[in-house]
Amino acid sequence: MQFFDRQTIQRQLLHWYERHGRQDLPWQQEPTPYRVWVSEIMLQQTQVATVIPYYQRFTQRFPTIEKLATASLDEVLQLWAGLGYYSRGRNLHRTAQIILTEFNGQFPNDLSLLRQLPGIGEYTAGAIMSFAFRQPAAIVDGNVKRVISRLHTLPDWPGHPTTHRLIWEIASHYTPAADCHLYNQAIMDLGATVCTRKRPDCDNCPWQTHCQAYRQRQTDRFPVAKPAKEKPTQERYFLLLQDDRQNILLHRRPPTGIWGGLWSLPECALHENIGDWCEQQYGLFVKQQQALPKFKHSFSHYHLLIHPLALQVHDMTTAIREQTDVQWCTNQHALTQGIPSPVKQLLEQYQ
Ligand code: SF4
């Protein structure tokens, strides 16, 4: 790998950042380790514009790590509902508790200790070191991967282990020891606003003279796309169980896995006999059943085809009242809980 002159690369980018970089994002004001950490976790897989209102609500409700650590997981997930990838919310809560009890409420100023905390990988640890502690540390997010892949026309897709390592190596090579936080913000901003996925604005790019993809007029070929793989589709019944008082049954999902810890609708496989299933699971007698229009929800690894069924049921036993992870509630109350977005969509339609 042949690098470009490091000082020139840094100077050009920092000069561009002074004039065009984003310097008014909420987490850039008062960049404490706590605020940087929350923002970086939210920004994983989610666009800045979507994150901003969530971030503001979250940091208003939990202004310190103590407030977050001592809140209930339910409350944390409620504020997370709609952002997706709920393991991020659970890890945030767990890490806050570890920092409070094992680090006296202070984030460790150490890359390897940070990386041992739940939900903090090499990118987030680098971001906390750089933005909050102002220590020299490279960071690589999706934007940085794209810029570097184009700058050096990397021949394989960024998720390939060899390319992944190479991108970190290139990023570390160019990241300066001084003003590292400005450089890191600048390269991410360049990717977000100039070196965009579609139609990069190369005429306004500070690295145009170096960029190999631009010189070869092949910016659309980089980064190299991930080899295509068909996503499988799973199908499930989602049950809107309504009792004699028109209350809806919610069931909390197990703490790990998809939508872990969120309240959701009971669901079962399509081969189940619904009447038998409701009786066995909850002691409910099904009086009436109506199929609602099915719809698709996509996760990163598969599609879920949801078959909603509205069921009028009669509660024959006390089985439900004895379970802590099952509750009857009004549709309106259900909508205020931390619930997955397709369930919210269904409850809103059914209201
Ligand atoms: S010249 Fe174009 S493709 Fe190359 S880094 Fe700049 S914006 Fe991206």
Side-chain angles (χ1 to χ4, degrees):
M1 165 64 52
Q2 213 181 347
F3 292 111
F4 304 113
D5 178 67
R6 185 188 296 181
Q7 267 90 30
T8 311
I9 285 283
Q10 292 166 355
R11 186 172 28 78
Q12 289 172 329
L13 184 63
L14 288 170
H15 185 58
W16 172 86
Y17 180 67
E18 260 173 43
R19 286 172 299 147
H20 304 290
R22 297 178 296 184
Q23 296 172 40
D24 53 359
L25 297 171
W27 43 89
Q28 290 174 324
Q29 323 309 319
E30 215 195 317
T32 61
Y34 173 68
R35 287 171 58 84
V36 168
W37 168 60
V38 172
S39 71
E40 293 300 341
I41 299 292
M42 286 189 169
L43 286 163
Q44 288 166 11
Q45 332 272 357
T46 313
Q47 300 282 324
V48 168
T50 309
V51 163
I52 289 175
Y54 280 92
Y55 177 81
Q56 284 168 330
R57 276 196 296 274
F58 198 91
T59 49
Q60 242 163 33
R61 172 62 192 87
F62 308 120
T64 61
I65 199 148
E66 289 81 6
K67 291 264 194 280
L68 175 58
T70 52
S72 71
L73 178 60
D74 255 358
E75 206 181 345
V76 174
L77 293 178
Q78 204 172 324
L79 282 171
W80 203 272
L83 262 184
Y85 300 95
Y86 292 92
S87 58
R88 296 184 297 173
R90 287 196 301 278
N91 281 335
L92 208 63
H93 189 234
R94 176 93 194 92
T95 292
Q97 292 174 329
I98 294 174
I99 289 180
L100 189 63
T101 53
E102 292 178 26
F103 295 92
N104 208 16
Q106 303 296 318
F107 269 84
N109 181 352
D110 180 288
L111 198 68
S112 59
L113 282 178
L114 284 171
R115 287 200 56 187
Q116 287 167 27
L117 294 165
I120 299 189
E122 59 187 340
Y123 165 75
T124 309
I128 296 171
M129 290 304 288
S130 153
F131 295 135
F133 291 120
R134 303 286 158 98
Q135 301 283 327
I139 59 177
V140 172
D141 71 347
N143 288 316
V144 177
K145 284 180 193 167
R146 184 167 56 252
V147 176
I148 288 181
S149 295
R150 286 175 174 162
L151 187 65
H152 285 281
T153 50
L154 300 185
D156 210 340
W157 71 289
H160 189 282
T162 314
T163 314
H164 177 85
R165 274 195 305 277
L166 184 58
I167 291 175
W168 272 94
E169 197 185 305
I170 298 170
S172 305
H173 177 82
Y174 290 135
T175 305
D179 288 338
C180 153
H181 64 292
L182 295 180
Y183 176 91
N184 281 336
Q185 188 63 54
I187 189 168
M188 288 198 295
D189 284 5
L190 186 72
T193 63
V194 174
C195 193
T196 47
R197 203 159 60 82
K198 287 186 186 155
R199 287 196 287 278
D201 184 9
C202 302
D203 288 342
N204 289 305
C205 177
W207 286 345
Q208 192 196 61
T209 49
H210 299 293
C211 179
Q212 296 303 297
Y214 175 77
R215 293 170 79 116
Q216 297 168 18
R217 298 290 184 264
Q218 290 196 333
T219 56
D220 57 334
R221 277 198 52 219
F222 298 93
V224 171
K226 182 182 177 180
K229 195 173 144 203
E230 261 298 279
K231 275 195 214 178
T233 298
Q234 290 185 15
E235 302 191 42
R236 305 279 288 167
Y237 279 132
F238 272 41
L239 307 180
L240 272 156
L241 297 165
Q242 213 166 29
D243 70 1
D244 300 324
R245 291 174 303 162
Q246 308 305 308
N247 284 326
I248 297 276
L249 190 77
L250 292 184
H251 197 144
R252 193 205 292 274
R253 295 186 59 88
T256 53
I258 295 293
W259 301 332
L262 294 196
W263 289 99
S264 186
L265 293 172
E267 56 178 273
C268 66
L270 297 194
H271 63 76
E272 296 287 356
N273 176 305
I274 296 300
D276 292 350
W277 191 85
C278 290
E279 192 176 334
Q280 279 161 15
Q281 295 292 317
Y282 302 113
L284 296 173
F285 171 69
V286 176
K287 297 193 290 186
Q288 244 180 45
Q289 167 170 337
Q290 183 199 351
L292 302 174
K294 51 189 177 188
F295 63 100
K296 196 191 262 185
H297 181 78
S298 294
F299 296 101
S300 49
H301 301 306
Y302 69 95
H303 303 293
L304 179 63
L305 185 59
I306 296 173
H307 295 248
L309 286 181
L311 302 156
Q312 282 294 329
V313 295
H314 177 64
D315 197 351
M316 301 188 292
T317 68
T318 56
I320 288 178
R321 271 166 275 150
E322 285 156 12
Q323 295 181 40
T324 52
D325 53 358
V326 182
Q327 59 166 315
W328 285 110
C329 65
T330 62
N331 195 325
Q332 247 174 357
H333 181 73
L335 286 166
T336 66
Q337 306 279 300
I339 51 176
S341 47
V343 172
K344 185 164 181 251
Q345 186 184 333
L346 200 52
L347 291 178
E348 281 170 349
Q349 279 167 9
Y350 194 65
Q351 221 172 6

